[in-house]
Amino acid sequence: MRRALVLGGGGVTGVAWELGLLAGLVERGVRVTEADLVVGTSAGSVVGALVCSELPVQRFYEEQLAPPSSEVAARLGFATLARLVWAGGRTRDAARSRARIGAMALAARTPSEASRRAVIEARLPEREWPRRRLLVTAVDASSGEFVVFDRDSEVSLVDAVGASCAVPGVWPPVTIGARRFVDGGMRSTVNADLAAGAERVLVLAPTSAAIGPMPRLSAQVDGLRAAGSRVSVLTPDAAARTAIGRNVLDPARRAGAARAGRAQAAAVLDEVAALWA
């Protein structure tokens, strides 16, 4: 496997920033959307599904500039963050930490699963798994097990992406069979280690925050490099951070985040071109 594109979580503004950055790179001749493997976590699962649809990424960038009619505003406020940290940070056992976060998510009052599924469906122009290898991450809310969905998992793409985007305490856990799943970012906001074996790895990380025993992005990148991969990690620059603001779940900020991502592409062009060529 030559090239992997890893897309991390970061809310609706993370989706927008990633699409803007990808569009800006493609416009400048660096076809990062043609990766052999795409790994998507939370917001990155949405972008991954779009990238693998074979439709032009510029189309998806332009959609971020339109009024977000199908999105529902929400807030990952201090109280929710505090509950996440309290639930996940009380043990050094990663699976137990995730199970405690899952229990918090299962007990939370949230919108219905059906209403949330409609939002996810509206984000995806293609509802079938792509031919290209796409990995979508999630966490079993009861056991804390980290799960990676792909086209062989016998799970619909909409449900896989919905599970990966199920922010605990904000959106409902997603029911798949007899199990319920929450955000793949509860294991790692990026899950870059799933790109192991790729010669070249490009990581887009709107956030690299970690709770309790979560594996840190820096450690994942070190592991990839130790195994022989060339890795570049891109995070929002100062202008993008300003555009994103404090609430990554605010759809009103997605146009600004998308434009900031596209503008940032010029600054990282040489680095990415050298990696990807």
Side-chain angles (χ1 to χ4, degrees), residues 46-120:
V46 175
V47 179
L50 298 179
V51 164
C52 291
S53 71
E54 309 299 340
L55 296 170
V57 70
Q58 285 82 357
R59 162 184 163 170
F60 302 125
Y61 163 73
E62 290 168 3
E63 288 176 353
Q64 296 299 304
L65 307 182
S69 58
S70 64
E71 294 289 342
V72 178
R75 174 173 287 278
L76 188 58
F78 176 80
T80 302
L81 286 171
R83 288 198 297 272
L84 282 172
V85 172
W86 181 81
R90 294 158 57 205
T91 175
R92 294 183 179 180
D93 183 285
R96 182 177 294 180
S97 172
R98 296 192 294 266
R100 286 177 170 169
I101 292 172
M104 183 271 282
L106 291 168
R109 296 182 62 182
T110 64
S112 69
E113 281 193 63
S115 65
R116 180 59 178 163
R117 195 177 199 276
V119 171
I120 300 299

Side-chain angles (χ1 to χ4, degrees), residues 34-259:
E34 296 178 355
D36 305 301
L37 169 69
V38 178
V39 177
T41 293
S42 199
S45 72
V46 175
V47 179
L50 298 179
V51 164
C52 291
S53 71
E54 309 299 340
L55 296 170
V57 70
Q58 285 82 357
R59 162 184 163 170
F60 302 125
Y61 163 73
E62 290 168 3
E63 288 176 353
Q64 296 299 304
L65 307 182
S69 58
S70 64
E71 294 289 342
V72 178
R75 174 173 287 278
L76 188 58
F78 176 80
T80 302
L81 286 171
R83 288 198 297 272
L84 282 172
V85 172
W86 181 81
R90 294 158 57 205
T91 175
R92 294 183 179 180
D93 183 285
R96 182 177 294 180
S97 172
R98 296 192 294 266
R100 286 177 170 169
I101 292 172
M104 183 271 282
L106 291 168
R109 296 182 62 182
T110 64
S112 69
E113 281 193 63
S115 65
R116 180 59 178 163
R117 195 177 199 276
V119 171
I120 300 299
E121 284 184 327
R123 292 178 179 176
L124 305 180
E126 302 288 343
R127 309 290 166 75
E128 301 297 326
W129 283 92
R131 290 175 294 176
R132 203 159 10 138
R133 184 153 174 73
L134 170 66
L135 304 182
V136 174
T137 67
V139 167
D140 185 302
S142 296
S143 68
E145 178 189 357
F146 179 56
V147 178
V148 180
F149 296 117
D150 62 16
R151 63 173 172 260
D152 297 323
S153 299
E154 298 185 354
V155 171
S156 78
L157 180 61
V158 172
D159 286 338
V161 171
S164 194
C165 293
V167 180
V170 178
W171 305 122
V174 170
T175 302
I176 301 176
R179 305 169 74 183
R180 301 191 74 190
F181 294 90
V182 295
D183 199 312
M186 296 304 101
R187 188 264 181 175
S188 162
T189 54
V190 185
N191 292 301
D193 52 340
L194 294 182
E199 295 176 16
R200 306 174 188 197
V201 183
L202 177 62
V203 179
L204 272 59
T207 178
S208 58
I211 298 171
M214 285 182 178
R216 271 47 179 178
L217 174 59
S218 57
Q220 295 177 21
V221 170
D222 288 345
L224 290 170
R225 288 174 174 157
S229 299
R230 292 178 57 191
V231 186
S232 286
V233 178
L234 305 181
T235 59
D237 61 13
R241 292 194 298 272
T242 298
I244 289 169
R246 294 184 177 181
N247 181 16
V248 300
L249 301 180
D250 184 359
R253 287 192 169 266
R254 72 178 196 177
R259 291 189 180 98

